[in-house]
Amino acid sequence: MAVPVSLLFMLAALAAATYVGKWTARRTEIDVEPVLWQTLVVGLLAARLAFVVQFSSSYESSPLGILDVRDGGWRPVVGFAAAWLYAVGWQFKRPALRTPLLAAVLAGTAIWGGGLLALSAPDSSQKLPFMALTTLDGAAVDLAAFRGKPTVVNLWATWCPPCVREMPVLHQAQVGNPAVNFVFINQGEGAARVSGWLNARKLLLRNVVLDSRGEAPAAFNQRGLPTTLFFDAEGRLVSTRTGELSAASLTEKLQEISGSRPLP
């Protein structure tokens, strides 16, 4: 299982901001750390709230999902703006905080913002590859045959807890989006095991295929489960999500491959 890379960038940004703020204020008796934590909380709450408001309909059936930030649902631009406004406000309250606070926020913005920018620009040259897979009935299928429609490729396994949790969300999306191919590539398990697992949960998924030799992660340059890749109708990679998807974050990704790109 993989930790979302965006979370790692956030933690790195916090560590850098704290260090820079303390280092800048070392010659004074000012403790900038409490204000930095408050600034972080304001930024995160604003970024999350903006995403939830935009995809509010996806949370109607499960309001507690709003609290589950593992789905990767954020609006970083809104969060950065809120954090900067909060930091600027503190400078008027305590002018002595100006230099260490600005230095800290700049450092955090550079690391977190730069990381998110890098993540938002996948390798568009990567295309849906030719890959021989097997259906649950034993028939051969080529992954490249799904080109021609927007395609969602999910790498999963029955022993992977976040894969299990997100599968009903993917099932509902497959039912509700007939214009999109959903392909579920199971990693290293047999047809009997996968079929029994799906039947026990009454998940009538289409395009469930087996990758018995585990070739798909290497082909997509991925290392963790679950991983979901989003391709446009021409088979070009548009976005990748490592980690559990919610209904809201999946809706966001589907908009990207259907040509209706969400707001930043």
Side-chain angles (χ1 to χ4, degrees), residues 174-261:
Q174 185 180 57
V175 172
N177 295 273
V180 178
N181 290 321
F182 284 79
V183 185
F184 302 91
I185 305 180
N186 180 269
Q187 297 300 293
E189 297 181 284
R193 164 70 177 173
V194 175
S195 296
W197 187 90
L198 293 172
N199 291 335
R201 289 158 179 78
K202 299 181 180 179
L203 293 172
L204 303 178
L205 298 176
R206 299 186 305 276
N207 304 325
V208 178
V209 294
L210 306 176
D211 179 20
S212 58
R213 293 184 292 183
E215 296 177 342
F220 294 122
N221 194 28
Q222 300 295 321
R223 296 293 181 269
L225 295 180
T227 291
T228 310
L229 303 103
F230 298 84
F231 297 85
D232 63 17
E234 284 71 44
R236 294 187 298 257
L237 180 64
V238 174
S239 182
T240 301
R241 166 68 180 165
T242 301
E244 185 177 344
L245 286 160
S246 68
S249 57
L250 179 55
T251 298
E252 177 190 30
K253 299 297 185 182
L254 291 176
Q255 288 182 1
E256 293 182 11
I257 61 175
S258 66
S260 176
R261 197 170 184 86

Side-chain angles (χ1 to χ4, degrees), residues 2 26 52 56 62 109 119-120 126 130 142 167 241 251 254:
R26 68 191 186 284
V52 169
S56 57
S62 181
T109 300
L119 290 176
S120 66
Q126 184 173 357
F130 292 94
D142 192 331
M167 198 57 72
R241 166 68 180 165
T251 298
L254 291 176

